Amino acid sequence: MTAWCVSVGLLLGMSACVGDVDPESPSAGPGSATSGGGPGPGRHELTLDHDGVTRAYRLHAPAGHEPGRPVPLVIALHPYPGSGVEMSRLVGLDDVAARENFLVAYPDGIAGGFNALVCCGTADDVGFLRRLAGHLVDTWRVDPDRVYLTGISNGGDLAFRAAVEASGTFAAIGVASGGFIGERVAAANYRPERPVSVITFIGGRDKYAAQFRSGIETWRERLGCSPVDPAPTSPAAGVEVSRSTCGDGSDVEVHLIENMGHAWPGARGEGLAAPDAGVVATELIWEFFAAHPRRRG
C-alpha cells in the first residue's frame, strides 16, 4: 500500500490445507476437492511453498468450470492489514467469475501484508506471485496469455511492482487506491520489459491521491504513452476517465473519482468499500482484462 493502515474488522483465520473446499460454496461437495484428484468447482483453501515458506491462498472456481478447458486467472491482492478471504468478500469477483468463467486466486500476505513498493515486510512476494501463476497454469489449465493481477492499497502497490519485476507473467493489472510509488520507482529504467496494460482508480479524497497521480504519469512517460483521440466521456458525475496507448502496445486507463477516498469503487462490503463512487471497479477491471490478453511484444 502506501504505508496506510485501516481497520477492516477482525482478520479471519484461514485453513491452509490443500484440497479443503469452503462450505460456503454452492458448488462444494463430493468430487470438488483437489486433494488426490483433478481440479474442480468450489472455493478451495490451498497452500504453496515458496522461498522456504508455506503460503496460503483461496482459489475460487465457478460452478461451470471444466478442468480440461483453458481459462483466465485473476489473482486478487488484499490491503494491509488483510487476508485473501476478506478480499474475496470486498470486491465481488466471484460473482463475475461465475458469469464469465474464470478462476480467482486470493493469496494471503505474510502477517497481513505484502512486500510491495513502500510497505510491508521482506517476503519475496513478487517471486511468490510468479510461482503461483505458473503453478495454476500447470495444474489448473490456466491460459498463460490470460493471467491478470488486481489489488487495492498495499495489494495494488504490489501489482505495480509485479508488473515490472515479473514482466511477462501478467497480461494486465487493475489497481484501486494503490500506485507506482516509492524509492524503487525513482530509477529511470524501472519499467516493464514486456507489455502490461493498466487500469487504475484514484480517489480525489485519498490522502495519497497526488502520489498516485504522479506515479501513473511517470508510468505513462516511461512507456511512451499517448492519449487516445477522442477522449473518453465521463461515465458518471465526478468521474474523469483518461485512456492512453503506449509504445510497447500496452494500454493505460485511469479513473479519477473526485469524491472517493482510499477505497474500492462500487464495493458494498465492509472496510475499504465505496458503494457510491459512480463506477463499479470490479466490472470495469474484468472488462479491461478480457480485452487485454498477453501481448508478445
Side-chain angles (χ1 to χ4, degrees):
M1 119 177 158
T2 41
W4 185 88
C5 300
V6 61
S7 175
V8 291
L10 294 175
L11 297 183
L12 300 176
M14 185 176 190
S15 171
C17 301
V18 175
D20 284 354
V21 179
D22 190 335
E24 295 175 5
S25 172
S27 56
S32 61
T34 60
S35 179
R43 289 177 184 153
H44 306 261
E45 310 299 341
L46 305 173
T47 61
L48 183 67
D49 291 338
H50 175 71
D51 200 29
V53 179
T54 297
R55 303 292 298 264
Y57 64 101
R58 166 176 283 195
L59 184 67
H60 171 78
H65 176 67
E66 300 175 13
R69 177 184 175 187
V71 292
L73 167 69
V74 176
I75 299 176
L77 305 175
H78 62 73
Y80 174 79
S83 70
V85 169
E86 289 174 341
M87 183 66 175
S88 72
R89 291 173 177 167
L90 173 67
V91 300
L93 264 170
D94 291 359
D95 292 337
V96 181
R99 186 184 74 223
E100 303 292 341
N101 195 31
F102 61 89
L103 303 182
V104 191
Y106 302 95
D108 282 353
I110 301 296
F114 296 107
N115 180 14
L117 291 170
V118 297
C119 172
C120 303
T122 60
D124 178 22
D125 283 315
V126 172
F128 169 59
L129 292 177
R130 186 190 293 113
R131 176 161 165 70
L132 176 60
H135 173 71
L136 294 175
V137 166
D138 291 342
T139 60
W140 282 72
R141 289 295 305 277
V142 164
D143 181 347
D145 289 332
R146 294 185 292 166
V147 177
Y148 306 100
L149 191 58
T150 189
I152 177 172
S153 196
N154 174 230
D157 294 354
L158 179 57
F160 274 109
R161 181 175 179 181
V164 175
E165 298 181 22
S167 188
T169 301
F170 303 103
I173 63 171
V175 174
S177 302
F180 190 59
I181 60 175
E183 294 182 1
R184 291 175 181 271
V185 171
N189 64 347
Y190 193 75
R191 63 181 186 181
E193 295 180 358
R194 301 271 300 276
V196 182
S197 292
V198 177
I199 180 171
T200 188
F201 300 82
I202 300 170
R205 294 184 178 179
D206 192 327
K207 66 183 292 187
Y208 301 104
Q211 294 180 51
F212 295 156
R213 294 181 72 161
S214 176
I216 198 63
E217 184 57 33
T218 297
W219 181 280
R220 289 189 287 209
E221 289 175 357
R222 290 188 184 162
L223 292 170
C225 306
S226 300
V228 300
D229 187 20
T233 58
S234 171
V239 180
E240 177 186 338
V241 182
S242 63
R243 295 191 181 101
S244 305
T245 57
C246 307
D248 63 357
S250 63
D251 295 318
V252 176
E253 181 170 314
V254 181
H255 293 247
L256 300 176
I257 304 172
E258 180 181 356
N259 293 319
M260 189 182 79
H262 200 79
W264 185 279
R268 298 189 177 277
E270 298 179 355
L272 301 184
D276 300 323
V279 295
V280 179
T282 301
E283 294 287 352
L284 292 173
I285 286 171
W286 173 249
E287 180 181 313
F288 186 84
F289 286 172
H292 291 86
R294 183 169 60 177
R295 293 182 61 89
R296 297 294 182 174

